[in-house]
Amino acid sequence: MQYAIPFNKPYLSGNEACYIEEAVRSGKISGDGIFTKRCHTFFEQQLGFQKVLLTTSCTDALELAALLLDLQPGDEVIMPSYTFVSTPNAFVLRGAKIVFADSTAENPNMDVTTLESLVTPRTRAIVPVHYAGIACDMDAIQAVATRHNLTVVEDAAQAIDSFYKGRPLGTIGALGAFSFHETKNITSGEGGMLAINDKQYANRAEIIREKGTNRSSFFRGEVDKYGWVEVGSSFLPSDIIAAFLWAQIENLNIIQQRRKDIWERYYTYLQPLVVQGVGLPIVPDYATNNGHMFYLVCRDLGERSALITHMRQLQVSPVFHYLSLHKSPFYADKHDGRELPWSDHYTDCLVRLPLYHELNESLQKRVIDGVLSFYKGR
């Protein structure tokens, strides 16, 4: 069903089609063309990433990361239960056992105080998810990882242009995965990126991304021929996808300022709900807000369902989000039985409000007024 105010509308700068045509006219529309190189250069030189590789999705970036870790069946990976299925799938495909951590009372991010108790001799990695682009406590995560010689892979799908103590998210762990899906701040429709922050993974990441060949080294003139040197897959996107993304990157500052303004307006006008026990996003002192998402945490499932129905009657489309993965049909019998109450709380109670570039003040006021009218007298 179409709503007057949908949950999301992808932003278009106006140059996407022009750059796609340029890519086509260049004669190279497969991976690692001129626009892929422009995107790589921007992230490495302008945002300070050590090395990045565009991928066809964040899912692929995570799968590439899992391959780099050389996981063996039975190895354990710790991550939050409140996340998208791509996060565990990447590691399950390698035979890993997922050990789910609970969220915090403050926000859906991983409860770092439980990490130490989840580490076993089989643990290989910790995968924090920066929910809504708000940083997890990376110092605490890194400290546990260092004590136990674990690799940290940041799921930064929602975290472009967001920081932890001044450092870009996705650059703190050994590896970081980003999404450019149409629901993200900058988009290529589908698309992703792997940030490689530990030099030991740089060369292998290129090889695995190129079907297990040293093709990238060949094109740089480092070897006189290329061949199959290890296991791999085809993770690199067409340059047409990169061309679309480049048009978005050129407008990153404009996009970000607009999204943050919308986020701040929600936060200001919905403050009265806090005294009624409705939760608003909390941004810790060590984190920044990148305007990716604005959500409410209702008091129970019934209230959230009623709010969504109320808003849809007003032609506004809010949506709930993840379902606790430790209770999913696929993983419930593989979970160790621990209760994860905060993950379940967000599963039942979190609702996301529309947030996109075209949401002007008049449209946003309709959303805000609709939410406030629902809670009036409750």
Side-chain angles (χ1 to χ4, degrees):
M1 179 178 179
Q2 295 292 320
Y3 293 93
I5 304 177
F7 171 68
N8 177 68
K9 274 188 179 181
Y11 169 78
L12 296 176
S13 73
N15 283 328
E16 287 82 2
C18 296
Y19 291 158
I20 288 171
E21 182 178 359
E22 185 179 338
V24 172
R25 291 183 182 280
S26 76
K28 179 175 172 54
I29 57 174
S30 59
D32 287 338
I34 56 174
F35 286 100
T36 301
K37 290 178 172 61
R38 287 184 195 178
C39 294
H40 285 177
T41 298
F42 173 82
F43 286 111
E44 292 171 359
Q45 297 186 5
Q46 302 300 314
L47 293 188
F49 290 65
Q50 286 189 35
K51 181 179 181 64
V52 301
L53 294 171
L54 290 190
T55 59
T56 51
S57 65
C58 185
T59 302
D60 270 354
L62 287 165
E63 290 181 14
L64 176 51
L67 281 163
L68 284 168
L69 298 189
D70 289 325
L71 295 174
Q72 301 300 312
D75 285 346
E76 295 178 1
V77 178
I78 300 170
M79 65 182 64
S81 177
Y82 194 75
T83 186
F84 190 54
V85 68
S86 292
T87 315
N89 254 338
F91 302 93
V92 169
L93 281 167
R94 308 268 63 80
K97 174 186 176 183
I98 306 302
V99 178
F100 287 118
D102 203 3
S103 298
T104 73
E106 186 175 64
N107 62 39
N109 283 344
M110 176 186 289
D111 183 353
V112 298
T113 67
T114 67
L115 289 182
E116 197 80 47
S117 66
L118 300 179
V119 176
T120 76
R122 297 303 303 268
T123 307
R124 292 287 312 283
I126 303 173
V127 185
V129 178
H130 303 299
Y131 186 80
I134 296 171
C136 297
D137 186 345
M138 291 305 297
D139 283 348
I141 292 169
Q142 292 284 74
V144 173
T146 299
R147 280 195 295 274
H148 298 280
N149 194 30
L150 308 176
T151 304
V152 175
V153 179
E154 294 177 74
D155 185 334
Q158 303 171 5
I160 198 73
D161 192 43
S162 206
F163 298 81
Y164 174 81
K165 295 184 176 179
R167 298 178 64 184
L169 296 184
T171 69
I172 303 167
L175 301 163
F178 291 85
S179 173
F180 302 123
H181 184 266
E182 71 168 30
T183 57
K184 303 304 187 287
N185 295 34
I186 56 173
T187 176
S188 54
E190 295 279 359
M193 179 176 75
L194 182 70
I196 300 115
N197 311 309
D198 187 330
K199 291 180 180 178
Q200 70 170 305
Y201 297 116
N203 185 54
R204 285 190 64 226
E206 283 190 340
I207 290 170
I208 293 170
R209 176 175 173 265
E210 273 278 20
K211 310 161 190 72
T213 73
N214 56 349
R215 186 168 179 266
S216 294
S217 295
F218 171 73
F219 281 118
R220 287 196 297 266
E222 297 167 359
V223 294
D224 59 4
K225 57 185 176 180
Y226 74 87
W228 185 18
V229 296
E230 75 159 272
V231 68
S233 190
S234 184
F235 292 127
L236 65 167
S238 159
D239 215 49
I240 291 174
I241 293 173
F244 194 108
L245 181 63
W246 180 246
Q248 301 267 306
I249 288 172
E250 285 187 322
N251 289 272
L252 178 62
N253 291 337
I254 294 170
I255 292 168
Q256 287 301 93
Q257 188 56 59
R258 178 83 178 122
R259 295 186 71 96
K260 290 174 186 177
D261 288 346
I262 294 168
W263 193 100
E264 291 291 347
R265 197 173 297 117
Y266 273 138
Y267 190 79
T268 298
Y269 286 99
L270 294 176
Q271 275 296 315
L273 301 182
V274 174
V275 298
Q276 293 180 252
V278 178
L280 301 186
I282 295 174
V283 182
D285 291 341
Y286 54 69
T288 62
N289 166 39
N290 72 341
H292 172 64
M293 179 199 309
F294 194 92
Y295 62 83
L296 302 175
V297 182
C298 300
R299 291 170 291 195
D300 55 48
L301 175 59
E303 180 177 282
R304 185 184 70 180
S305 299
L307 172 60
I308 291 173
T309 298
H310 170 79
M311 296 300 287
R312 287 178 177 173
Q313 289 171 346
L314 299 175
Q315 284 295 298
V316 178
S317 180
V319 295
F320 56 84
H321 213 183
Y322 307 132
L323 305 179
S324 290
L325 292 178
H326 71 286
K327 290 185 172 179
S328 63
F330 175 69
Y331 220 81
D333 62 351
K334 303 173 185 65
H335 179 59
D336 54 28
R338 285 173 297 113
E339 294 293 325
L340 304 178
W342 284 109
S343 178
D344 293 341
H345 179 69
Y346 295 119
T347 291
D348 289 345
C349 300
L350 189 144
V351 60
R352 297 175 291 163
L353 300 182
L355 201 167
Y356 51 90
H357 196 276
E358 292 179 31
L359 190 69
N360 59 36
E361 288 192 42
S362 176
L363 292 174
Q364 190 179 8
K365 185 176 185 299
R366 286 176 57 184
V367 181
I368 292 167
D369 288 348
V371 173
L372 293 176
S373 69
F374 174 79
Y375 280 103
K376 187 177 181 180
R378 288 181 76 91

